[in-house]
Amino acid sequence: MPGLSSLRSLLPYLKPYRLAISGGVLLVVGSAAISSVIPWVLRDGVDAVGRGAPAGRVWRDASLMVALAIVGGVMRYGMREVMNGVSRRIEYDLRNALFRHLVTLDAGFYARVRTGDIMARLTNDLSAVRMAAGPAIMYFVNTIAGGAFALAFMLRIDARLTGIASILTATADGVPHTTGQARVLVRPDWVGLGGGLPGRVEAVWFRGSHTDVDVSTPFGSLVIRTPGTTALA
């Protein structure tokens, strides 16, 4: 895959900071674990109240939740500080390597390539690479670890309900709901389209937190995303 091969070329620049990256990943996993434990402690406290436990037990659970939240906050700060810091140092190394390569090129190269394109490589493109070298790793690990911990706790509570919820989640996102005609609002400076762009709604995808509407228009297909559940007449 081209994307993976491009990421492989970044590995030599990650290697000098492997210890820092490993520490940042451990902080990410630890913060995800703590975030998963807090609801468990809350459940224990609510159950204790229902059983008529003494107030000291409730205060103990509340104090534990506060302590876990503080530790989790410190770990989240640490993971961002480490991973963002590493990505900045990698960006600095990449920019120096690119500059060393540019000074070896002949005048013909600079006659063929626009200066703006070169500056874009040195600024915007390297900033995008920095995101892949730090924050992208952090968010990827956080998503995987958080999902794994949540699934483990769900299985421990009730494996059957976890299976049902997983099946519903997997299938609900893949069922389109078709409907009829629609008019899509467009930019007012598009001449001749003041009343909206005519089109046909091909499918509506209800995805929980948002809704994606697939619309075919004379200019091609559009995907319109709206928060929540969209009601179409």
Side-chain angles (χ1 to χ4, degrees), residues 141-227:
V141 174
N142 185 65
T143 300
I144 297 299
F149 286 124
L151 182 61
F153 281 112
M154 289 171 65
L155 288 171
R156 183 170 179 178
I157 294 172
D158 194 313
R160 185 177 65 87
L161 287 178
T162 300
I164 295 174
S166 300
I167 294 173
L168 291 176
T169 301
T171 57
D173 191 49
V175 179
H177 302 265
T178 59
T179 183
Q181 301 293 326
R183 296 189 71 83
V184 184
L185 296 179
V186 297
R187 289 170 43 183
D189 55 340
W190 287 8
V191 179
L193 297 176
L197 180 62
R200 177 177 178 80
V201 176
E202 300 294 344
V204 181
W205 302 81
F206 300 106
R207 305 186 187 276
S209 61
H210 62 272
T211 300
D212 289 338
V213 182
D214 296 340
V215 182
S216 61
T217 73
F219 296 94
S221 298
L222 298 176
V223 177
I224 304 172
R225 173 164 295 182
T226 58

Side-chain angles (χ1 to χ4, degrees), residues 19-44:
L19 291 179
I21 293 175
S22 299
V25 168
L26 289 176
L27 288 172
V28 173
V29 174
S31 66
I34 289 177
S35 298
S36 300
V37 169
I38 291 178
W40 191 274
V41 177
L42 177 61
R43 189 196 71 161
D44 185 66

Side-chain angles (χ1 to χ4, degrees), residues 2-230:
L4 293 178
S5 61
S6 300
L7 290 177
R8 290 193 196 99
S9 62
L10 187 62
L11 293 178
Y13 296 94
L14 296 174
K15 189 176 180 180
Y17 307 103
R18 56 186 179 274
L19 291 179
I21 293 175
S22 299
V25 168
L26 289 176
L27 288 172
V28 173
V29 174
S31 66
I34 289 177
S35 298
S36 300
V37 169
I38 291 178
W40 191 274
V41 177
L42 177 61
R43 189 196 71 161
D44 185 66
V46 172
D47 290 345
V49 172
R51 294 192 302 267
R57 169 66 183 278
V58 178
W59 279 108
R60 188 193 69 181
D61 289 338
S63 300
L64 180 58
M65 290 176 58
V66 172
L68 288 172
I70 293 174
V71 173
V74 171
M75 296 182 76
R76 283 190 292 274
Y77 170 80
M79 74 182 190
R80 286 177 172 83
E81 187 72 16
V82 171
M83 300 301 289
N84 288 335
V86 167
S87 68
R88 291 292 184 184
R89 291 192 287 271
I90 293 173
E91 180 187 21
Y92 178 77
D93 295 341
L94 283 168
R95 185 169 281 117
N96 285 335
L98 180 56
F99 179 78
R100 286 193 298 269
H101 176 68
L102 288 174
V103 297
T104 63
L105 301 177
D106 57 15
F109 170 81
Y110 294 99
R112 296 190 305 271
V113 181
R114 293 179 296 183
T115 303
D117 292 340
I118 298 175
M119 293 302 300
R121 302 293 185 187
L122 286 167
T123 54
N124 299 335
D125 290 358
L126 281 181
S127 295
V129 174
R130 178 189 70 80
M131 295 295 294
I137 297 175
M138 177 177 65
Y139 294 129
F140 175 76
V141 174
N142 185 65
T143 300
I144 297 299
F149 286 124
L151 182 61
F153 281 112
M154 289 171 65
L155 288 171
R156 183 170 179 178
I157 294 172
D158 194 313
R160 185 177 65 87
L161 287 178
T162 300
I164 295 174
S166 300
I167 294 173
L168 291 176
T169 301
T171 57
D173 191 49
V175 179
H177 302 265
T178 59
T179 183
Q181 301 293 326
R183 296 189 71 83
V184 184
L185 296 179
V186 297
R187 289 170 43 183
D189 55 340
W190 287 8
V191 179
L193 297 176
L197 180 62
R200 177 177 178 80
V201 176
E202 300 294 344
V204 181
W205 302 81
F206 300 106
R207 305 186 187 276
S209 61
H210 62 272
T211 300
D212 289 338
V213 182
D214 296 340
V215 182
S216 61
T217 73
F219 296 94
S221 298
L222 298 176
V223 177
I224 304 172
R225 173 164 295 182
T226 58
T229 301
T230 299

